[in-house]
Every structure is written in structure tokens, then in C-alpha cells.
């Protein structure tokens, strides 16, 4: 079946603009994760959902970052008043359950000018 | 803070050579350890997952080992091919969802 998809694949924003990044997990996957990957670095954990419940948001770097998964499937990561340091690739992953292998989407490359 | 370090940062080898990628972690109380492959502009593909109770996993030409007591894991790639060229990431899970990644080793296999 289809893997994890993310949209848009590329996003250029002016500093101060709000952006919304979408993740479509594999159908039936209960757990959904968001990661931020800076250039030349490994991904860093942002937040995690079990169905529609956001169980861990300890990795969100500031209160400008907000994630939701209202119906337990599609998730949106929103960044308000973007700053240049927000430029990174944002990766979404899903797993059948929290203990299972995570399957990653291709990521959204965000560039803030 | 739990840290994951990967050495070397980059590696270039001729086709056919066997190679070893290294990963070290500071906190040995891990849940599992995973090796991923990342191709430019693409997401991560899981290669091997080693549970904390296991010492190694094998898949085809890949073998990953885990030594919790020393905080180390290695990924062994046999008979390397140009198609193996990618960035290899080590990720350590400290509970059932907190996964910490290393910065990766960028591998180039020359034909």
C-alpha cells in the first residue's frame, strides 16, 4: 500500500509568515511522529501522537510550533511567525503502534527567507 | 542529555570493499537501536532494528551489532556496491517513542 506522504515537499516562507505542513500516515497506523532535521544533522524529535492524542510535545522548540491530529489520521504541523532558524526538513513518521518500526515520509523542506 | 555519535562523518570506498560504520551512545538504558538509510531528498528507510535484549541483526549484506555495556553499535556492509551510497543514520530509542539520532555517516561507494 501507499507509504507516508507529506505536502508540500518544498515551502519557501518569508520571515514572520505562518506555515502549515501536512502528513498523511500509512492507513491504520496508530502512532505518528514529527521530526526536524537541520542540514547535516540527524532528525530531532518534535512531537508524538497516539491516535488523536498528543502524548509528547517535549521536542517542540517554542510555542510558535503547534501540531494536531484531530481525527487520528492526517496530522498538521503549524509554525507561526516563522524565523530563519526554523529552516529545516520536517519529517513525519508513522507506526502500527508505538513499539513498532517507524516508516518515514519524504519530508517537507522549509526555507525561511 | 542522551547523545548519539557516529564516526566517521563521511567515508569513501571502492566498490566491493567491506566496511564498518560506528555508532556510540552515552546512556546504556536503551529500548532499541535502529539503523536507517537516507537518500538525498528522501525520507528514512529502516534497515535493521535491534531490541535491547539482542546482540545483532542481519539482513542480506548488512549486519548490525549492539553492545549496550560499552554503548556501541556497528553496521557492517559486505561487498559494497555503488547503490549503497547514502547517508546512514543510527537511532537509539530510550523509551517507546523517544528516538535520538546521530548526525549520520555519508557513504560513497565508487564504481
Amino acid at each position: 500500500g501507499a507509504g507516508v506522504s507529506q505536502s508540500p515537499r518544498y515551502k519557501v516562507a518569508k520571515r514572520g509568515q505562518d506555515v502549515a505542513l501536512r502528513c498523511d500516515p500509512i492507513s491504520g497506523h496508530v502512532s505518528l511522529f514529527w521530526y526536524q532535521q537541520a542540514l547535516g544533522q540527524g532528525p530531532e524529535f518534535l512531537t508524538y501522537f497516539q491516535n488523536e492524542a498528543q502524548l509528547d510535545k517535549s521536542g517542540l522548540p517554542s510555542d510558535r510550533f503547534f501540531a494536531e491530529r484531530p481525527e487520528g489520521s492526517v496530522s498538521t504541523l503549524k509554525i507561526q511567525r516563522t524565523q530563519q532558524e526554523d529552516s529545516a526538513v520536517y519529517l513525519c513518521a508513522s507506526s502500527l503502534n508505538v513499539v513498532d518500526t517507524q516508516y518515514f515520509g519524504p519530508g517537507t523542506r522549509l526555507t525561511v527567507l | 542529555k542522551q547523545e548519539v555519535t557516529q564516526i566517521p562523518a563521511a567515508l569513501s570506498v571502492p566498490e566491493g570493499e567491506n566496511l564498518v560504520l560506528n555508532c556510540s551512545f552515552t546512556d546504556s538504558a536503551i529500548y532499541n537501536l535502529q539503523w536507517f538509510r537516507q537518500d538525498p531528498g528522501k525520507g528514512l528507510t529502516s534497515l535493521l532494528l535491534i531490541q535491547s535484549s539482542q546482540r545483532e541483526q542481519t539482513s542480506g549484506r548488512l549486519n548490525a551489532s549492539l553492545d549496550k555495556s560499552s554503548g556501541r553499535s556497528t553496521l557492517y556492509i559486505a561487498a559494497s556496491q555503488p547503490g549503497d551510497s547514502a547517508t546512514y543514520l543510527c537511532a537509539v530509542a530510550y523509551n517507546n517513542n523517544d528516538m535520538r539520532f546521530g548526525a549520520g555517516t555519508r557513504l560513497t561507494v565508487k564504481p
Side-chain angles (χ1 to χ4, degrees), chain A residues 27-66:
Chain A
S27 178
H29 278 197
V30 171
S31 301
L32 185 146
F33 306 80
W34 282 99
Y35 296 86
Q36 180 190 59
Q37 185 175 23
L39 189 64
Q41 299 298 315
E44 291 196 1
F45 171 81
L46 294 177
T47 187
Y48 151 68
F49 291 86
Q50 185 88 340
N51 296 305
E52 70 279 2
Q54 188 175 21
L55 298 187
D56 187 345
K57 54 181 180 180
S58 61
L60 296 176
S62 78
D63 59 7
R64 296 185 295 104
F65 286 71
F66 172 77

Side-chain angles (χ1 to χ4, degrees), chain A residues 15-29:
Chain A
R15 194 175 70 167
Q17 186 178 352
D18 296 350
V19 298
L21 312 179
R22 176 187 170 109
C23 172
D24 286 79
I26 294 173
S27 178
H29 278 197

